[in-house]
Amino acid sequence: MDFQAGKLKHRRYSFILLFYLVFYGFLTAMFTLTMWVMLQTVSDHTPKYQDRLATPGLMIRPKTENLDVIVNVSDTESWDQHVQKLNKFLEPYNDSIQAQKNDVCRPGRYYEQPDNGVLNYPKRACQFNRTQLGDCSGIGDPTHYGYSTGQPCVFIKMNRVINFYAGANQSMNVTCVGKRDEDAENLGNFVMFPANGNIDLMYFPYYGKKFHVNYTQPLVAIKFLNVTPNVEVNVECRINAANIATDDERDKFAGRVAFKLRINKT
């Protein structure tokens, strides 16, 4: 009897083990199949959902922790970090690299490259040459983008949004102002490169990192000429484009960017 009872108990455990093996094997197979089906709907090049990126934001360079550009003119270390960041950031914009990798495009029109049923990869990009940044190009510049003389250059770039036709086929540009009356007074004069802060349509649309392998987004450089020294100035820059809203109070970076500028002199 004990032998029979032990045999039945062993058989019962075997059935339980078999049940769980089959059960979890079935769950694993279902999960694998579900993931495979889902992956068939995902593109390697274009995000399936990008509704949160409908409006591109603006950012500044040099990149700082709190969007504060602080320059102590007499202290080289205080601004050399900005210069090094800008050197690295602008390296892909060197005219020689742009001529090697990108196309000379016709201004004033989108550079569309449709697939037309056949994968058109990689997409070509339009040249944005460093020399277009004028006095802010840093090329042969003994003032180091103006940081050693208290006339610093700050660069504005628009974040990339895939398949976005910025400007809605109309011209667009970046403008900058002091946020408050006292900021406007202390900001002084500045010049922009390219002229008037223009951003050409030919740099759009952007097709994504895998498609647009050599894409370099257009920049606008602002050279501040006579900021009131030893005063913190709040600056706001906006993109003026027909299809980019800049008044959404829920998103402070939608089509705009605000930063603080301070030039310390002794």
Side-chain angles (χ1 to χ4, degrees):
M1 293 292 292
D2 291 341
F3 174 77
Q4 290 294 334
K7 189 175 181 180
L8 288 174
K9 185 176 181 181
H10 177 75
R11 182 178 297 178
R12 184 166 61 249
Y13 285 141
S14 297
F15 278 123
I16 292 173
L17 177 61
L18 178 62
F19 169 79
Y20 279 109
L21 285 175
V22 173
F23 177 69
Y24 285 111
F26 174 77
L27 289 181
T28 301
M30 283 293 295
F31 176 77
T32 302
L33 178 61
T34 301
M35 291 298 295
W36 180 84
V37 171
M38 184 190 71
L39 289 173
Q40 303 313 300
T41 67
V42 177
S43 170
D44 289 336
H45 304 94
T46 306
K48 188 174 181 66
Y49 301 106
Q50 49 180 339
D51 55 300
R52 294 186 64 182
L53 300 175
T55 301
L58 299 184
M59 284 300 295
I60 68 166
R61 293 292 184 270
K63 187 177 182 180
T64 60
E65 185 175 352
N66 297 311
L67 296 180
D68 295 341
V69 180
I70 301 174
V71 180
N72 295 316
V73 176
S74 59
D75 180 9
T76 303
E77 290 186 5
S78 75
W79 49 261
D80 186 62
Q81 57 178 326
H82 299 322
V83 171
Q84 298 305 318
K85 289 178 182 178
L86 291 177
N87 285 338
K88 184 177 181 180
F89 173 66
L90 292 175
E91 185 176 353
Y93 292 89
N94 287 342
D95 291 22
S96 58
I97 296 177
Q98 290 291 310
Q100 179 184 358
K101 295 184 176 181
N102 294 335
D103 293 344
V104 176
C105 300
R106 178 179 171 183
R109 59 184 295 182
Y110 294 120
Y111 192 31
E112 297 179 281
Q113 302 169 74
D115 291 335
N116 293 327
V118 179
L119 187 62
N120 180 12
Y121 170 81
K123 307 289 188 183
R124 298 290 296 174
C126 294
Q127 292 183 21
F128 188 97
N129 293 310
R130 189 168 176 172
T131 49
Q132 294 176 240
L133 298 172
D135 292 343
C136 287
S137 68
I139 300 173
D141 181 6
T143 71
H144 307 286
Y145 306 100
Y147 283 82
S148 66
T149 59
Q151 296 179 317
C153 292
V154 175
F155 298 81
I156 305 294
K157 72 182 189 73
M158 185 163 61
N159 294 337
R160 304 174 184 185
V161 177
I162 295 176
N163 291 326
F164 180 65
Y165 287 76
N169 217 27
Q170 301 176 44
S171 61
M172 54 185 164
N173 73 317
V174 171
T175 53
C176 298
V177 296
K179 291 196 70 174
R180 298 184 292 266
D181 290 342
E182 57 268 30
D183 293 317
E185 293 178 4
N186 292 324
L187 184 60
N189 299 317
F190 56 86
V191 290
M192 307 184 81
F193 307 95
N196 301 315
N198 289 330
I199 295 180
D200 201 279
L201 299 178
M202 65 182 176
Y203 300 107
F204 304 94
Y206 169 63
Y207 288 101
K209 187 175 182 179
K210 287 190 174 183
F211 268 134
H212 243 152
V213 291
N214 294 320
Y215 181 81
T216 42
Q217 60 215 96
L219 304 175
V220 171
I222 306 102
K223 185 175 183 64
F224 298 95
L225 300 177
N226 52 353
V227 175
T228 301
N230 307 316
V231 174
E232 186 176 273
V233 182
N234 295 282
V235 185
E236 184 175 76
C237 297
R238 296 173 179 250
I239 177 74
N240 302 299
N243 59 346
I244 300 179
T246 61
D247 55 358
D248 187 353
E249 292 303 321
R250 297 172 299 177
D251 187 351
K252 299 295 185 181
F253 292 95
R256 56 184 167 167
V257 63
F259 61 95
K260 295 178 181 179
L261 179 63
R262 183 183 178 99
I263 312 297
N264 291 328
K265 292 182 179 180
T266 56

